[in-house]
């Protein structure tokens, strides 16, 4: 579930020349106490949500901003529900800072059965109250693939808990597919437009996929000495067709290059 776990050692990151505006925007938001505490990254399957989350996690760790991560996985029985989310995040918090560790140890001494309480109680005591004691540096928590949680009610409940955060130093990033039940909840929560980041077939997405394909084909061409009649391989028209076929899905572009 943690971004740097052995299970995620080969998890892809964003290609160097893509998503630059988005990553820069996240970096700026993390450092700004006036811009809210949550960013929801939405997009259909294949547009690169998890890849972006992995990239942001590594960037935040490099800046010493990252506190904890949880990557949901529908195929893993330990990561397709919310029952272990708080304990996993709290474990990482305890290893992040001695202030967090001391506070969490005190909570378990006072209430040894805390992990048997409701997720509301766990979240309040082990995440919200602990984060409020954070040092004067940004603290980022990333939850990826909320839609990979099998229980829809659990999805909605966790998203509501995230939306109620108040600590200006705690920044929460969560990614998910824009399913109907989540869209309805987002409307009820009435989050500011800046809190919602949509990935898909926008001009920026098309540009990033085009850049990825162009650079990748260039590397293949150099390695294999491939050219077409005008010296470019593949042609600009062929690359444009691939961008159109991708429809905002980096997964498609990556599959083309792998093939």
């Amino acid at each position: 579930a943690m971004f740097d776990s052995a299970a995620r050692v080969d998890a892809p990151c964003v290609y160097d020349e893509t998503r630059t505006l988005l990553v820069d925007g996240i970096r700026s938001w993390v450092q700004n106490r006036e811009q809210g505490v949550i960013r929801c990254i939405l997009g259909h399957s294949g547009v690169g949500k998890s890849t972006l989350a992995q990239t942001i996690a590594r960037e935040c760790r490099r800046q010493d901003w990252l506190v904890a991560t949880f990557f949901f996985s529908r195929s893993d029985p330990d990561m397709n529900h919310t029952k272990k989310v708080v304990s996993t995040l709290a474990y990482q918090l305890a290893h992040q800072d001695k202030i967090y560790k001391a506070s969490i140890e005190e909570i378990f001494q006072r209430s040894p059965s805390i992990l048997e309480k409701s997720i509301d109680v766990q979240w309040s005591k082990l995440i919200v109250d602990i984060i409020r004691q954070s040092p004067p540096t940004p603290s980022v928590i990333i939850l990826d693939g909320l839609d990979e949680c099998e229980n829809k009610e659990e999805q909605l409940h966790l998203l509501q808990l995230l939306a109620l955060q108040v600590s200006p130093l705690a920044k929460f990033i969560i990614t998910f597919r824009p399913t109907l039940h989540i869209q309805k909840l987002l409307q009820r929560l009435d989050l500011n437009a800046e809190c919602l980041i949509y990935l898909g077939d926008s001009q920026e997405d098309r540009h990033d996929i085009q850049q990825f394909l162009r650079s990748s084909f260039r590397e293949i061409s150099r390695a294999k000495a491939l050219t077409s009649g005008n010296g470019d391989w593949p042609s600009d028209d062929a690359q444009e067709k691939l961008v159109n076929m991708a429809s905002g899905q980096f997964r498609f572009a990556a599959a083309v290059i792998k093939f």
Side-chain angles (χ1 to χ4, degrees):
M2 295 180 285
F3 92 100
D4 56 354
S5 69
R8 298 190 57 79
V9 68
D10 295 322
C13 280
V14 168
Y15 191 75
D16 287 344
E17 301 177 39
T18 63
R19 302 294 195 202
T20 54
L21 291 177
L22 191 48
V23 173
D24 287 346
I26 291 291
R27 187 186 297 113
S28 176
W29 162 71
V30 168
Q31 299 176 82
N32 191 327
R33 300 189 187 187
E34 307 299 324
Q35 289 188 334
V37 300
I38 187 172
R39 287 292 182 270
C40 300
I41 300 177
L42 300 84
H44 294 289
S45 178
V47 299
K49 300 183 299 298
S50 293
T51 299
L52 181 60
Q54 185 77 15
T55 300
I56 293 172
R58 291 186 181 181
E59 170 66 12
C60 288
R61 172 61 57 83
R62 188 178 68 83
Q63 299 285 353
D64 202 26
W65 297 336
L66 185 68
V67 173
T69 61
F70 192 97
F71 282 71
F72 287 93
S73 174
R74 186 176 289 109
S75 61
D76 191 320
D78 286 328
M79 297 187 291
N80 62 8
H81 53 77
T82 62
K83 297 179 180 64
K84 295 185 178 181
V85 168
V86 176
S87 59
T88 302
L89 296 179
Y91 173 84
Q92 295 171 78
L93 282 169
H95 284 76
Q96 179 72 14
D97 187 277
K98 61 183 180 181
I99 297 176
Y100 294 150
K101 183 178 181 181
S103 298
I104 290 173
E105 287 177 345
E106 184 180 346
I107 290 172
F108 275 97
Q109 289 172 358
R110 292 201 314 265
S111 180
S113 62
I114 183 68
L115 294 182
E116 298 173 18
K117 306 293 185 181
S118 69
I119 191 172
D120 300 71
V121 173
Q122 292 182 43
W123 186 263
S124 175
K125 298 298 183 182
L126 293 172
I127 304 299
V128 178
D129 289 351
I130 299 301
I131 286 292
R132 284 176 178 157
Q133 305 173 46
S134 64
T137 56
S139 299
V140 179
I141 293 179
I142 299 174
L143 296 99
D144 175 72
L146 179 62
D147 55 282
E148 296 279 320
C149 173
E150 290 191 332
N151 188 304
K152 292 183 179 180
E153 292 303 318
E154 289 185 4
Q155 294 176 20
L156 299 178
H157 195 176
L158 182 56
L159 186 54
Q160 286 177 305
L161 290 175
L162 287 170
L164 295 175
Q165 300 313 308
V166 294
S167 174
L169 282 175
K171 301 289 187 174
F172 292 85
I173 299 172
I174 184 166
T175 78
F176 46 84
R177 290 186 298 118
T179 53
L180 182 60
H181 63 286
I182 288 182
Q183 291 276 38
K184 288 182 178 180
L185 176 60
L186 291 175
Q187 292 174 3
R188 293 202 302 272
L189 293 174
D190 195 27
L191 296 174
N192 293 331
E194 65 180 11
C195 296
L196 307 176
I197 301 172
Y198 288 89
L199 302 183
D201 199 20
S202 68
Q203 283 302 115
E204 184 178 343
D205 293 316
R206 286 178 57 83
H207 173 270
D208 286 344
I209 290 176
Q210 186 178 51
Q211 189 67 37
F212 168 73
L213 288 171
R214 182 181 293 115
S215 298
S216 299
F217 280 132
R218 190 180 299 125
E219 292 174 7
I220 295 172
S221 182
R222 280 198 295 261
K224 303 295 184 180
L226 298 173
T227 60
S228 64
N230 61 7
D232 294 323
W233 179 89
S235 68
D236 289 342
D237 287 345
Q239 293 190 48
E240 185 65 21
K241 287 180 180 178
L242 290 172
V243 172
N244 291 333
M245 292 171 65
S247 297
Q249 290 193 327
F250 265 89
R251 181 182 296 174
F252 175 88
V256 168
I257 295 302
K258 185 176 181 179
F259 175 80

